[in-house]
Amino acid sequence: MDDDIRELIKAPPAYLFGWPVPLIDEIGGLSRAAYDGRIDLDEWRRRDRDLRAPMPPLASPGMVTAMHRRVTEAWREARRGSSDTADAEALLTMMGRLRYLTEPAPTDAELFHELAGITRQLREYSPHDNLNRSLGRRAELIRGWLAASPEYDLASGLEWSVVGRYRWVSTSLGAVPAYVDEARRLALTDPGNAEKVAASAGVRGHDGVPPEIAAAEIRQAMLYSSFAVLLEEAWRREGHEELGDAVAALWNRPATRRLLMTVTADGWPRRFAAYDPGLPTIATGPTGRTVRAASATPIFHATENDLSASPLD
């Protein structure tokens, strides 16, 4: 252990990098209370922000990080060398204080990253391992915090901005809103998302597409397939043109479009549930009849529009 590190733990200073140690300890207490389930995430963030607000910015966060590395290495040496237990505990306390200096209450992105790391570890350890049980409790706590996140979808392990690109899909009847599980399935099976899908496997607990999401394709097809079959057959068979035009007119009614959006809205964050890009449905009338092959292409790819960059109410 370096002499300056030894001196640091033998005579703990009243200030660390300009911040009073009692304040740092109070910040650390909030973190422990949150992970113990004694306060919720919103309270942790609010109280953490209030405690930090009066303090000046750290002059050099890099110096804090470097000191944290040195103290951590000293703690590891103390553990390996079976040295004074008091030294090891003092080093562990100092590690925490240095970490709290540079790590405010986590954002959703930081929690999502932590959850991904924890779930990867959970898959590597025995379910009876004490560490696994501890990690499992932490993972469930973070999942609870992120359940209502407007940024991340835990079921797919992807950002909502990625899943949201499939809110509307291209079909033989034009633009059709998608159920959230169908959007998840399309996002997870799109080769363009392969890197994100691989990185998010731990979060959803499945290397591929979970069965409940994979089954969504059938439900999505039921949303419009009866209309498509009836319309195609009516227009194809002589003497049924009027029926075909009536079916197409019914499909194209704004009320039908609104109903389809309502039917598929469950599970979507509000900004996606209510989003209508205004893309056309199938043409009506004898001169405008078109029956196209069904496609699972996301509307936003087909029209070169990316929902993640679109303005949403």
Side-chain angles (χ1 to χ4, degrees):
M1 186 188 308
D2 294 345
D3 289 341
D4 53 348
I5 299 295
R6 189 181 304 279
E7 184 64 26
L8 186 66
I9 64 170
K10 290 298 184 184
Y15 289 83
L16 279 174
F17 295 91
W19 285 44
V21 166
L23 175 67
I24 299 172
D25 288 344
E26 189 173 356
I27 289 171
L30 287 176
S31 175
R32 291 188 294 275
Y35 280 111
D36 287 344
R38 288 181 280 122
I39 60 174
D40 63 26
L41 180 61
D42 288 340
E43 182 179 356
W44 179 17
R45 287 172 171 169
R46 176 182 55 78
R47 292 173 60 184
D48 181 90
R49 184 171 56 250
D50 290 347
L51 287 174
R52 294 174 187 274
M55 299 307 300
L58 292 170
S60 178
M63 290 181 63
V64 181
T65 302
M67 179 63 76
H68 184 272
R69 284 198 298 267
R70 292 177 61 196
V71 173
T72 301
E73 182 55 36
W75 174 75
R76 289 172 179 161
E77 289 179 3
R79 293 284 303 275
R80 287 194 298 266
S82 299
S83 62
D84 189 344
T85 302
D87 281 355
E89 290 180 356
L91 288 165
L92 191 61
T93 299
M94 185 59 65
M95 286 164 56
R97 287 170 174 166
L98 292 167
R99 181 166 56 84
Y100 298 135
L101 272 173
T102 57
E103 294 183 10
T107 63
D108 282 1
E110 290 165 339
L111 287 171
F112 190 76
H113 179 75
E114 181 180 359
L115 179 60
I118 290 174
T119 50
R120 280 194 297 270
Q121 287 181 275
L122 284 171
R123 300 173 77 179
E124 297 173 2
Y125 292 108
S126 161
H128 305 295
D129 188 281
N130 287 334
L131 176 60
N132 200 347
R133 286 194 289 270
S134 176
L135 290 174
R137 287 192 295 270
R138 193 175 181 102
E140 285 307 307
L141 181 66
I142 296 174
R143 282 185 176 278
W145 286 341
L146 289 176
S149 172
E151 303 299 328
Y152 296 95
D153 171 38
L154 299 183
S156 66
L158 299 171
E159 297 95 331
W160 276 117
S161 61
V162 174
V163 178
R165 295 173 189 166
Y166 307 82
R167 177 63 176 105
W168 288 75
V169 293
S170 177
T171 74
S172 61
L173 294 183
V176 175
Y179 289 107
V180 67
D181 273 349
E182 173 63 1
R184 288 165 173 154
R185 186 189 69 82
L186 292 171
L188 289 170
T189 56
D190 189 335
N193 299 328
E195 186 174 344
K196 286 181 176 290
V197 169
S200 64
V203 173
R204 64 180 174 276
H206 202 288
D207 290 324
V209 181
E212 62 274 15
I213 293 178
E217 185 176 11
I218 297 174
R219 186 186 185 206
Q220 181 69 27
M222 292 171 62
L223 190 66
Y224 64 90
S225 58
S226 295
F227 265 99
V229 171
L230 185 59
L231 184 58
E232 181 176 3
E233 291 299 320
W235 277 353
R236 187 172 65 85
R237 297 173 186 271
E238 187 176 350
H240 293 80
E241 293 86 354
E242 185 177 348
L243 174 60
D245 288 346
V247 171
L250 176 60
W251 176 260
N252 279 338
R253 287 179 60 184
T256 302
R257 191 180 184 96
R258 289 194 298 271
L259 177 60
L260 291 174
M261 288 184 63
T262 301
V263 166
T264 59
D266 286 352
W268 283 104
R270 186 188 62 82
R271 71 186 192 279
F272 293 113
Y275 186 75
D276 186 344
L279 297 165
T281 50
I282 198 165
T284 61
T287 61
R289 296 173 188 157
T290 57
V291 178
R292 300 182 297 277
S295 168
T297 304
I299 282 293
F300 300 100
H301 289 189
T303 61
E304 297 183 355
N305 290 323
D306 184 344
L307 179 58
S308 63
S310 299
L312 297 172
D313 295 329

mmCIF file with all atom_site columns, all heavy atoms in Angstrom, residues 124-136:
data_model
loop_
_atom_site.group_PDB
_atom_site.id
_atom_site.type_symbol
_atom_site.label_atom_id
_atom_site.label_alt_id
_atom_site.label_comp_id
_atom_site.label_asym_id
_atom_site.label_entity_id
_atom_site.label_seq_id
_atom_site.pdbx_PDB_ins_code
_atom_site.Cartn_x
_atom_site.Cartn_y
_atom_site.Cartn_z
_atom_site.occupancy
_atom_site.B_iso_or_equiv
_atom_site.pdbx_formal_charge
_atom_site.auth_seq_id
_atom_site.auth_comp_id
_atom_site.auth_asym_id
_atom_site.auth_atom_id
_atom_site.pdbx_PDB_model_num
ATOM 1   N N   . GLU A 1 124 ? -24.200 -16.981 -15.705 1.00 0.00 ? 124 GLU A N   1
ATOM 2   C CA  . GLU A 1 124 ? -22.920 -17.668 -15.567 1.00 0.00 ? 124 GLU A CA  1
ATOM 3   C C   . GLU A 1 124 ? -22.783 -18.398 -14.231 1.00 0.00 ? 124 GLU A C   1
ATOM 4   O O   . GLU A 1 124 ? -21.948 -19.289 -14.098 1.00 0.00 ? 124 GLU A O   1
ATOM 5   C CB  . GLU A 1 124 ? -21.768 -16.673 -15.718 1.00 0.00 ? 124 GLU A CB  1
ATOM 6   C CG  . GLU A 1 124 ? -21.703 -16.024 -17.102 1.00 0.00 ? 124 GLU A CG  1
ATOM 7   C CD  . GLU A 1 124 ? -20.658 -14.917 -17.163 1.00 0.00 ? 124 GLU A CD  1
ATOM 8   O OE1 . GLU A 1 124 ? -19.979 -14.703 -16.134 1.00 0.00 ? 124 GLU A OE1 1
ATOM 9   O OE2 . GLU A 1 124 ? -20.530 -14.277 -18.220 1.00 0.00 ? 124 GLU A OE2 1
ATOM 10  N N   . TYR A 1 125 ? -23.565 -18.014 -13.228 1.00 0.00 ? 125 TYR A N   1
ATOM 11  C CA  . TYR A 1 125 ? -23.424 -18.588 -11.895 1.00 0.00 ? 125 TYR A CA  1
ATOM 12  C C   . TYR A 1 125 ? -24.515 -19.608 -11.611 1.00 0.00 ? 125 TYR A C   1
ATOM 13  O O   . TYR A 1 125 ? -25.596 -19.582 -12.218 1.00 0.00 ? 125 TYR A O   1
ATOM 14  C CB  . TYR A 1 125 ? -23.491 -17.494 -10.822 1.00 0.00 ? 125 TYR A CB  1
ATOM 15  C CG  . TYR A 1 125 ? -22.312 -16.554 -10.822 1.00 0.00 ? 125 TYR A CG  1
ATOM 16  C CD1 . TYR A 1 125 ? -22.455 -15.256 -11.259 1.00 0.00 ? 125 TYR A CD1 1
ATOM 17  C CD2 . TYR A 1 125 ? -21.056 -16.979 -10.382 1.00 0.00 ? 125 TYR A CD2 1
ATOM 18  C CE1 . TYR A 1 125 ? -21.374 -14.372 -11.265 1.00 0.00 ? 125 TYR A CE1 1
ATOM 19  C CE2 . TYR A 1 125 ? -19.984 -16.115 -10.379 1.00 0.00 ? 125 TYR A CE2 1
ATOM 20  C CZ  . TYR A 1 125 ? -20.140 -14.818 -10.823 1.00 0.00 ? 125 TYR A CZ  1
ATOM 21  O OH  . TYR A 1 125 ? -19.079 -13.962 -10.830 1.00 0.00 ? 125 TYR A OH  1
ATOM 22  N N   . SER A 1 126 ? -24.257 -20.478 -10.672 1.00 0.00 ? 126 SER A N   1
ATOM 23  C CA  . SER A 1 126 ? -25.269 -21.431 -10.219 1.00 0.00 ? 126 SER A CA  1
ATOM 24  C C   . SER A 1 126 ? -26.425 -20.675 -9.581  1.00 0.00 ? 126 SER A C   1
ATOM 25  O O   . SER A 1 126 ? -26.214 -19.689 -8.864  1.00 0.00 ? 126 SER A O   1
ATOM 26  C CB  . SER A 1 126 ? -24.658 -22.396 -9.196  1.00 0.00 ? 126 SER A CB  1
ATOM 27  O OG  . SER A 1 126 ? -25.672 -23.019 -8.448  1.00 0.00 ? 126 SER A OG  1
ATOM 28  N N   . PRO A 1 127 ? -27.676 -21.126 -9.806  1.00 0.00 ? 127 PRO A N   1
ATOM 29  C CA  . PRO A 1 127 ? -28.811 -20.440 -9.178  1.00 0.00 ? 127 PRO A CA  1
ATOM 30  C C   . PRO A 1 127 ? -28.800 -20.518 -7.664  1.00 0.00 ? 127 PRO A C   1
ATOM 31  O O   . PRO A 1 127 ? -29.516 -19.791 -6.989  1.00 0.00 ? 127 PRO A O   1
ATOM 32  C CB  . PRO A 1 127 ? -30.024 -21.179 -9.765  1.00 0.00 ? 127 PRO A CB  1
ATOM 33  C CG  . PRO A 1 127 ? -29.496 -22.494 -10.221 1.00 0.00 ? 127 PRO A CG  1
ATOM 34  C CD  . PRO A 1 127 ? -28.079 -22.240 -10.657 1.00 0.00 ? 127 PRO A CD  1
ATOM 35  N N   . HIS A 1 128 ? -27.977 -21.408 -7.115  1.00 0.00 ? 128 HIS A N   1
ATOM 36  C CA  . HIS A 1 128 ? -27.898 -21.548 -5.657  1.00 0.00 ? 128 HIS A CA  1
ATOM 37  C C   . HIS A 1 128 ? -26.741 -20.746 -5.060  1.00 0.00 ? 128 HIS A C   1
ATOM 38  O O   . HIS A 1 128 ? -26.540 -20.761 -3.852  1.00 0.00 ? 128 HIS A O   1
ATOM 39  C CB  . HIS A 1 128 ? -27.753 -23.022 -5.279  1.00 0.00 ? 128 HIS A CB  1
ATOM 40  C CG  . HIS A 1 128 ? -28.847 -23.883 -5.840  1.00 0.00 ? 128 HIS A CG  1
ATOM 41  N ND1 . HIS A 1 128 ? -30.163 -23.758 -5.468  1.00 0.00 ? 128 HIS A ND1 1
ATOM 42  C CD2 . HIS A 1 128 ? -28.807 -24.867 -6.793  1.00 0.00 ? 128 HIS A CD2 1
ATOM 43  C CE1 . HIS A 1 128 ? -30.898 -24.632 -6.135  1.00 0.00 ? 128 HIS A CE1 1
ATOM 44  N NE2 . HIS A 1 128 ? -30.108 -25.323 -6.934  1.00 0.00 ? 128 HIS A NE2 1
ATOM 45  N N   . ASP A 1 129 ? -25.994 -20.079 -5.915  1.00 0.00 ? 129 ASP A N   1
ATOM 46  C CA  . ASP A 1 129 ? -24.859 -19.293 -5.457  1.00 0.00 ? 129 ASP A CA  1
ATOM 47  C C   . ASP A 1 129 ? -25.369 -18.060 -4.702  1.00 0.00 ? 129 ASP A C   1
ATOM 48  O O   . ASP A 1 129 ? -26.306 -17.385 -5.133  1.00 0.00 ? 129 ASP A O   1
ATOM 49  C CB  . ASP A 1 129 ? -24.011 -18.871 -6.664  1.00 0.00 ? 129 ASP A CB  1
ATOM 50  C CG  . ASP A 1 129 ? -22.711 -18.217 -6.237  1.00 0.00 ? 129 ASP A CG  1
ATOM 51  O OD1 . ASP A 1 129 ? -22.770 -17.025 -5.877  1.00 0.00 ? 129 ASP A OD1 1
ATOM 52  O OD2 . ASP A 1 129 ? -21.669 -18.882 -6.281  1.00 0.00 ? 129 ASP A OD2 1
ATOM 53  N N   . ASN A 1 130 ? -24.743 -17.746 -3.557  1.00 0.00 ? 130 ASN A N   1
ATOM 54  C CA  . ASN A 1 130 ? -25.174 -16.586 -2.773  1.00 0.00 ? 130 ASN A CA  1
ATOM 55  C C   . ASN A 1 130 ? -25.076 -15.298 -3.569  1.00 0.00 ? 130 ASN A C   1
ATOM 56  O O   . ASN A 1 130 ? -25.939 -14.419 -3.478  1.00 0.00 ? 130 ASN A O   1
ATOM 57  C CB  . ASN A 1 130 ? -24.344 -16.473 -1.485  1.00 0.00 ? 130 ASN A CB  1
ATOM 58  C CG  . ASN A 1 130 ? -24.711 -17.534 -0.479  1.00 0.00 ? 130 ASN A CG  1
ATOM 59  O OD1 . ASN A 1 130 ? -25.829 -18.037 -0.492  1.00 0.00 ? 130 ASN A OD1 1
ATOM 60  N ND2 . ASN A 1 130 ? -23.767 -17.889 0.392   1.00 0.00 ? 130 ASN A ND2 1
ATOM 61  N N   . LEU A 1 131 ? -23.988 -15.161 -4.358  1.00 0.00 ? 131 LEU A N   1
ATOM 62  C CA  . LEU A 1 131 ? -23.824 -13.968 -5.173  1.00 0.00 ? 131 LEU A CA  1
ATOM 63  C C   . LEU A 1 131 ? -24.951 -13.864 -6.197  1.00 0.00 ? 131 LEU A C   1
ATOM 64  O O   . LEU A 1 131 ? -25.481 -12.787 -6.453  1.00 0.00 ? 131 LEU A O   1
ATOM 65  C CB  . LEU A 1 131 ? -22.465 -14.002 -5.884  1.00 0.00 ? 131 LEU A CB  1
ATOM 66  C CG  . LEU A 1 131 ? -22.186 -12.846 -6.867  1.00 0.00 ? 131 LEU A CG  1
ATOM 67  C CD1 . LEU A 1 131 ? -22.236 -11.505 -6.134  1.00 0.00 ? 131 LEU A CD1 1
ATOM 68  C CD2 . LEU A 1 131 ? -20.829 -13.030 -7.538  1.00 0.00 ? 131 LEU A CD2 1
ATOM 69  N N   . ASN A 1 132 ? -25.330 -15.007 -6.764  1.00 0.00 ? 132 ASN A N   1
ATOM 70  C CA  . ASN A 1 132 ? -26.407 -15.006 -7.746  1.00 0.00 ? 132 ASN A CA  1
ATOM 71  C C   . ASN A 1 132 ? -27.715 -14.522 -7.127  1.00 0.00 ? 132 ASN A C   1
ATOM 72  O O   . ASN A 1 132 ? -28.457 -13.744 -7.738  1.00 0.00 ? 132 ASN A O   1
ATOM 73  C CB  . ASN A 1 132 ? -26.585 -16.415 -8.322  1.00 0.00 ? 132 ASN A CB  1
ATOM 74  C CG  . ASN A 1 132 ? -27.313 -16.402 -9.656  1.00 0.00 ? 132 ASN A CG  1
ATOM 75  O OD1 . ASN A 1 132 ? -27.889 -15.409 -10.052 1.00 0.00 ? 132 ASN A OD1 1
ATOM 76  N ND2 . ASN A 1 132 ? -27.275 -17.534 -10.339 1.00 0.00 ? 132 ASN A ND2 1
ATOM 77  N N   . ARG A 1 133 ? -28.006 -14.957 -5.917  1.00 0.00 ? 133 ARG A N   1
ATOM 78  C CA  . ARG A 1 133 ? -29.240 -14.509 -5.266  1.00 0.00 ? 133 ARG A CA  1
ATOM 79  C C   . ARG A 1 133 ? -29.214 -13.012 -5.018  1.00 0.00 ? 133 ARG A C   1
ATOM 80  O O   . ARG A 1 133 ? -30.222 -12.320 -5.195  1.00 0.00 ? 133 ARG A O   1
ATOM 81  C CB  . ARG A 1 133 ? -29.432 -15.280 -3.956  1.00 0.00 ? 133 ARG A CB  1
ATOM 82  C CG  . ARG A 1 133 ? -29.865 -16.733 -4.172  1.00 0.00 ? 133 ARG A CG  1
ATOM 83  C CD  . ARG A 1 133 ? -30.365 -17.344 -2.865  1.00 0.00 ? 133 ARG A CD  1
ATOM 84  N NE  . ARG A 1 133 ? -29.258 -17.572 -1.935  1.00 0.00 ? 133 ARG A NE  1
ATOM 85  C CZ  . ARG A 1 133 ? -28.564 -18.697 -1.877  1.00 0.00 ? 133 ARG A CZ  1
ATOM 86  N NH1 . ARG A 1 133 ? -28.851 -19.691 -2.702  1.00 0.00 ? 133 ARG A NH1 1
ATOM 87  N NH2 . ARG A 1 133 ? -27.588 -18.852 -1.001  1.00 0.00 ? 133 ARG A NH2 1
ATOM 88  N N   . SER A 1 134 ? -28.044 -12.502 -4.616  1.00 0.00 ? 134 SER A N   1
ATOM 89  C CA  . SER A 1 134 ? -27.916 -11.066 -4.388  1.00 0.00 ? 134 SER A CA  1
ATOM 90  C C   . SER A 1 134 ? -28.080 -10.287 -5.697  1.00 0.00 ? 134 SER A C   1
ATOM 91  O O   . SER A 1 134 ? -28.786 -9.270  -5.750  1.00 0.00 ? 134 SER A O   1
ATOM 92  C CB  . SER A 1 134 ? -26.546 -10.764 -3.762  1.00 0.00 ? 134 SER A CB  1
ATOM 93  O OG  . SER A 1 134 ? -26.360 -9.374  -3.620  1.00 0.00 ? 134 SER A OG  1
ATOM 94  N N   . LEU A 1 135 ? -27.443 -10.780 -6.747  1.00 0.00 ? 135 LEU A N   1
ATOM 95  C CA  . LEU A 1 135 ? -27.566 -10.125 -8.055  1.00 0.00 ? 135 LEU A CA  1
ATOM 96  C C   . LEU A 1 135 ? -29.000 -10.201 -8.570  1.00 0.00 ? 135 LEU A C   1
ATOM 97  O O   . LEU A 1 135 ? -29.496 -9.258  -9.193  1.00 0.00 ? 135 LEU A O   1
ATOM 98  C CB  . LEU A 1 135 ? -26.617 -10.777 -9.063  1.00 0.00 ? 135 LEU A CB  1
ATOM 99  C CG  . LEU A 1 135 ? -25.124 -10.528 -8.863  1.00 0.00 ? 135 LEU A CG  1
ATOM 100 C CD1 . LEU A 1 135 ? -24.308 -11.357 -9.843  1.00 0.00 ? 135 LEU A CD1 1
ATOM 101 C CD2 . LEU A 1 135 ? -24.797 -9.040  -9.031  1.00 0.00 ? 135 LEU A CD2 1
ATOM 102 N N   . GLY A 1 136 ? -29.651 -11.331 -8.310  1.00 0.00 ? 136 GLY A N   1
ATOM 103 C CA  . GLY A 1 136 ? -31.027 -11.489 -8.745  1.00 0.00 ? 136 GLY A CA  1
ATOM 104 C C   . GLY A 1 136 ? -31.947 -10.464 -8.109  1.00 0.00 ? 136 GLY A C   1
ATOM 105 O O   . GLY A 1 136 ? -32.818 -9.892  -8.769  1.00 0.00 ? 136 GLY A O   1
#
